[in-house]
Amino acid sequence: MEKHINSANVEKISWSNETLRIYFNNGQVVAYKNVPEGLAAGMAQAPSAGSYMRLYIAGKYAYEVEKRSEIKERNISLEHHKDTTVGLYATDRPDLIPEELKSLFFQITYDEKEVVA
């Protein structure tokens, strides 16, 4: 069984061999093991797939994240830059910071004429 879901967070679900796969709109895919077909069918017909999942599936069945969301993947790929980048930025070497990380920084500037004591 496979069904597209009209939900804020869930794109579609599929069920086969007692495994319910939930495909989230952010790209994440989670597989819940040993889920009865009736629960999968119930989720497919529920007014809110996310609420149904939280009530009847999450925390009750073992799961495996088969694919992480794009945001999670990006954070993991950038995580190793965290400490090094802070050190590089502190040494005023922005030319050594990867372009995709520069947007994470901000610079505090002020005009001394407008500082109120």
Side-chain angles (χ1 to χ4, degrees):
M1 175 202 54
E2 184 172 300
K3 174 143 187 215
H4 286 272
I5 306 292
N6 185 14
S7 168
N9 295 314
V10 178
E11 178 183 338
K12 71 178 178 177
I13 65 170
S14 68
W15 183 89
S16 65
N17 301 324
E18 296 190 352
T19 299
L20 173 65
R21 283 186 178 75
I22 302 175
Y23 299 80
F24 292 92
N25 291 333
N26 65 8
Q28 181 175 358
V29 179
V30 179
Y32 287 91
K33 309 294 182 187
N34 301 313
V35 175
E37 185 177 14
L39 280 180
M43 184 173 177
Q45 309 220 352
S48 171
S51 293
Y52 187 93
M53 181 192 75
R54 285 187 294 280
L55 282 170
Y56 301 109
I57 298 166
K60 295 173 178 58
Y61 294 92
Y63 71 92
E64 176 184 351
V65 176
E66 294 184 338
K67 182 180 178 218
R68 292 187 286 246
S69 70
E70 285 86 10
I71 293 171
K72 183 72 171 175
E73 285 294 334
R74 179 175 160 81
N75 288 345
I76 289 170
S77 70
L78 297 177
E79 184 69 25
H80 72 278
H81 291 293
K82 184 176 67 174
D83 295 330
T84 306
T85 304
V86 169
L88 291 173
Y89 194 69
T91 61
D92 287 331
R93 291 292 313 271
D95 57 305
L96 298 177
I97 299 171
E99 285 300 317
E100 64 267 16
L101 293 179
K102 287 183 181 179
S103 66
L104 300 176
F105 296 106
F106 63 92
Q107 185 174 1
I108 299 173
T109 60
Y110 64 93
D111 184 350
E112 290 185 29
K113 296 178 216 166
E114 295 185 25
V115 174
V116 177

